[in-house]
Amino acid sequence: MSTNSVQDTLPLSLLIVITSYKATDLTIECLKSLVPEIIQIPNARVGICENGNEDDTTQKLKQAIEENGWQDWVYIKTVMPNRGFSGGNNAILREVLGSKNIPDFFLLLNADTIVRPGAITKLIKTANDYSDVGIFCPRLEWPSGEAQVSCFRYMSPVSELLAAAKTGVLTKLFNKWEVPVPVVNTPLEIEWGSFACALIRKEVFQDIGVLDEGYYLYFDDVDFCRSANNAGWKVLYWPDAHVVHLR
């Protein structure tokens, strides 16, 4: 198993990027849920950034990968110290984007997720049908199947006023400025979505670069989606693809 590079597994169609910090058990469960997807997607790989873990978590993860026979499609890159969500993802992204064979799609995936069967294949099929969309966000849900709010509008002075006031009257009057978008069961073009799980075209990274490491934790997703929007890329919520986000 390669622990530092994905070069020996190229060319790729999809690279799933997971940043793991003190989340070995969650990461292993996430990998288990990815097995059916990997089987269905030719040349798909998973790159895990072990992000500033100073104990034996990296060794435990390597052992689980070997015991489950995942060496052919999972590799680990260890960084120190912890670089946050953006920096951890970028450790994998920069390496692959700088290679000669770049995958068509990248899936940013939290360690605390469980991918429901068919979710990633549905996102890729949708991406092939919507060439003007650069970022695809699935339905995030609790283990019970109840949907989580994962689609949002940009923050604004009005939205901050609503959040501070917390009154139903103001919310009704200015609901189009509320940041959270109510859960819907139909595809929806959104301003930004949670990066607990997001499928991103390689062309988006080529146009705007990787995540802004000025955002150590949180707001990286809204910033990246805004940059993609400004570059002409749409963001699409696709509720037919389900991913559990344990939070």
Side-chain angles (χ1 to χ4, degrees):
M1 176 181 63
S2 172
T3 58
N4 297 302
S5 174
V6 73
Q7 300 301 316
D8 57 344
T9 64
L10 293 171
L12 298 178
S13 61
L14 169 71
L15 181 66
I16 301 169
V17 183
I18 301 173
T19 295
S20 179
Y21 175 66
K22 295 185 177 180
T24 304
D25 291 341
L26 289 172
T27 302
I28 292 170
E29 291 304 309
C30 180
L31 289 173
K32 288 179 180 178
S33 75
L34 287 172
V35 172
E37 303 298 282
I38 294 296
I39 293 173
Q40 295 295 320
I41 304 171
N43 300 319
R45 300 292 184 270
V46 177
I48 300 174
C49 176
E50 277 291 278
N51 196 5
N53 292 302
E54 298 178 351
D55 51 18
D56 60 349
T57 56
T58 299
Q59 188 56 43
K60 288 181 179 178
L61 186 54
K62 289 180 181 179
Q63 182 179 345
I65 291 170
E66 293 172 359
E67 290 177 351
N68 285 280
W70 298 333
Q71 301 96 318
D72 291 340
W73 54 273
V74 182
Y75 75 99
I76 300 173
K77 183 179 182 66
T78 302
V79 299
M80 193 71 68
N82 188 302
R83 299 182 185 179
F85 182 85
S86 294
N89 278 287
N90 286 347
I92 301 287
L93 293 171
R94 283 198 179 96
E95 179 181 71
V96 179
L97 288 165
S99 69
K100 293 181 179 179
N101 296 293
I102 303 173
D104 295 325
F105 300 102
F106 293 82
L107 185 82
L108 303 189
L109 188 64
N110 273 19
D112 64 335
T113 56
I114 301 294
V115 177
R116 300 287 198 193
I120 300 176
T121 54
K122 289 175 181 176
L123 289 176
I124 291 176
K125 181 182 184 303
T126 303
N128 290 328
D129 292 338
Y130 292 83
S131 59
D132 60 339
V133 178
I135 303 173
F136 301 82
C137 300
R139 167 192 164 107
L140 297 182
E141 60 188 29
W142 300 105
S144 66
E146 179 185 357
Q148 297 176 4
V149 174
S150 60
C151 302
F152 307 91
R153 300 181 182 92
Y154 294 135
M155 298 157 197
S156 68
V158 176
S159 72
E160 293 305 291
L161 172 64
L162 292 174
K166 296 182 180 178
T167 65
V169 175
L170 282 178
T171 299
K172 289 179 180 178
L173 285 173
F174 300 99
N175 64 341
K176 68 178 181 179
W177 281 283
E178 267 208 296
V179 173
V181 176
V183 174
V184 295
N185 294 318
T186 55
L188 179 68
E189 185 178 336
I190 58 176
E191 292 183 344
W192 65 280
S194 168
F195 273 15
C197 181
L199 183 75
I200 306 174
R201 293 184 189 279
K202 67 177 180 182
E203 290 86 358
V204 178
F205 288 111
Q206 291 170 334
D207 283 351
I208 68 174
V210 294
L211 304 179
D212 186 341
E213 294 183 26
Y215 298 97
Y216 184 82
L217 190 64
Y218 304 121
F219 300 110
D220 46 86
D221 37 20
V222 59
D223 175 76
F224 190 87
C225 287
R226 184 189 286 274
S227 296
N229 285 159
N230 290 341
W233 292 104
K234 297 178 181 178
V235 181
L236 184 66
Y237 172 64
W238 196 257
D240 193 38
H242 292 224
V243 174
V244 174
H245 184 203
L246 299 172
R247 289 188 177 176

